[in-house]
């Protein structure tokens, strides 16, 4: 981050702190942990800026850039009254200060109750994997594929293009999925239904 701007560096560190806040959302010591992380990051950034702008110490970086390092440290502009006037008028780019520099700014622990039978996503994935590795489940899946068949999207598109080129007419989607045998059976059933309807009408 030595060659990045102060605004970009602060924004990246704020993203990290936001991730930490969300990660420890249900921890009892959330405020303490996040405030400790913020303290370490803030001190590291003060060292970085002191070396980058030749300020000699972190205290000088805090004096110019404030506690949250939101004032520009380049050429010590943060101390000038002209900068504050330009910032108030919106003529200069503002720099976001570091978040959670005080423990009171860290959100409280989330004690919301979990719903009944709640499971984390990684546990659901593991249970699904265990279920799929079961021999009985694997045999059931194989038998289902043998009976019903499996048509991939690529095969379906290929059949559509081939039938369109051969017949120059669009093919019914249901006939492609069911196959030619099923289509003939459906035609026979429809014809038998028509004959029964005519016979009923005659009676």
């Amino acid at each position: 981050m030595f060659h990045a701007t102060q605004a970009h560096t602060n924004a990246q560190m704020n993203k990290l702190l936001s991730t930490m806040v969300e990660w420890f959302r249900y921890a009892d010591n959330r405020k303490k942990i996040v405030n400790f992380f913020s303290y370490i990051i803030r001190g590291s950034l003060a060292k970085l800026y002191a070396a980058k702008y030749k300020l000699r110490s972190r205290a000088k970086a805090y004096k110019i850039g404030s506690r949250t390092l939101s004032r520009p440290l380049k050429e010590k502009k943060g101390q000038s009254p002209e900068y504050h006037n330009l910032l108030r008028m919106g003529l200069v780019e503002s720099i976001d200060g570091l978040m959670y520099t005080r423990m009171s700014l860290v959100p409280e622990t989330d004690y919301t109750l979990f719903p009944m039978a709640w499971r984390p996503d990684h546990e659901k994935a593991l249970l699904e994997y265990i279920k799929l590795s079961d021999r009985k489940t694997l045999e059931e899946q194989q038998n289902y594929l043998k009976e019903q068949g499996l048509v991939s999207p690529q095969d379906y598109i290929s059949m559509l293009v081939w039938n369109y080129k051969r017949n120059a007419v669009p093919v019914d989607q249901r006939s492609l999925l069911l196959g030619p045998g099923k289509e003939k059976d459906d035609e026979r059933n429809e014809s038998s239904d028509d004959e029964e309807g005519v016979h009923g009408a005659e009676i």
Side-chain angles (χ1 to χ4, degrees):
M1 307 297 290
F2 189 83
H3 300 287
T5 62
Q6 185 179 349
H8 177 72
T9 304
N10 285 8
Q12 293 297 314
M13 294 302 103
N14 281 336
K15 287 182 180 178
L16 176 61
L17 289 171
S18 300
T19 305
M20 291 294 175
V21 166
E22 188 62 27
W23 180 263
F24 293 101
R25 181 174 181 175
Y26 302 107
D28 287 331
N29 55 349
R30 181 190 194 186
K31 295 174 78 73
K32 185 177 180 180
I33 291 176
V34 174
N35 183 251
F36 176 73
F37 275 120
S38 178
Y39 170 77
I40 297 296
I41 291 172
R42 191 167 62 96
S44 299
L45 278 186
K47 285 183 180 179
L48 172 69
Y49 292 147
K52 183 176 181 178
Y53 300 113
K54 299 177 181 179
L55 301 175
R56 297 185 180 181
S57 67
R58 290 187 298 173
K60 196 74 177 288
Y62 288 135
K63 183 178 180 180
I64 300 172
S66 78
R67 179 184 177 86
T68 59
L69 300 173
S70 59
R71 296 176 187 167
L73 295 164
K74 190 176 182 181
E75 299 175 3
K76 303 180 182 179
K77 289 182 180 178
Q79 290 179 322
S80 63
E82 291 84 2
Y83 169 78
H84 293 287
N85 293 331
L86 293 174
L87 183 64
R88 189 164 50 250
M89 291 185 290
L91 298 177
V92 293
E93 181 186 3
S94 62
I95 300 173
D96 293 333
L98 289 179
M99 302 163 60
Y100 314 124
T101 54
R102 299 184 187 276
M103 191 176 292
S104 59
L105 300 175
V106 182
E108 295 286 345
T109 303
D110 189 356
Y111 289 108
T112 306
L113 295 177
F114 290 116
M116 294 294 292
W118 178 85
R119 290 181 183 275
D121 292 337
H122 69 275
E123 188 174 334
K124 292 179 183 176
L126 288 173
L127 291 173
E128 188 70 20
Y129 177 77
I130 293 171
K131 184 179 178 183
L132 289 175
S133 60
D134 185 22
R135 190 175 186 84
K136 184 179 179 181
T137 305
L138 185 61
E139 290 176 356
E140 290 177 356
Q141 295 290 334
Q142 289 176 346
N143 293 333
Y144 177 81
L145 291 177
K146 287 179 182 178
E147 293 174 0
Q148 303 296 330
L150 179 65
V151 180
S152 65
Q154 292 82 359
D155 295 337
Y156 176 66
I157 295 297
S158 300
M159 286 189 289
L160 274 179
V161 174
W162 171 250
N163 282 280
Y164 183 81
K165 286 184 176 180
R166 187 179 63 179
N167 303 325
V169 291
V171 181
D172 183 20
Q173 179 179 358
R174 186 164 169 268
S175 64
L176 283 175
L177 294 175
L178 294 177
K182 295 280 185 181
E183 187 179 1
K184 290 179 182 179
D185 294 340
D186 292 343
E187 290 177 358
R188 291 172 188 170
N189 292 335
E190 288 177 2
S191 60
S192 62
D193 292 342
D194 293 340
E195 291 176 0
E196 289 178 359
V198 172
H199 182 63
E202 291 175 354
I203 294 174

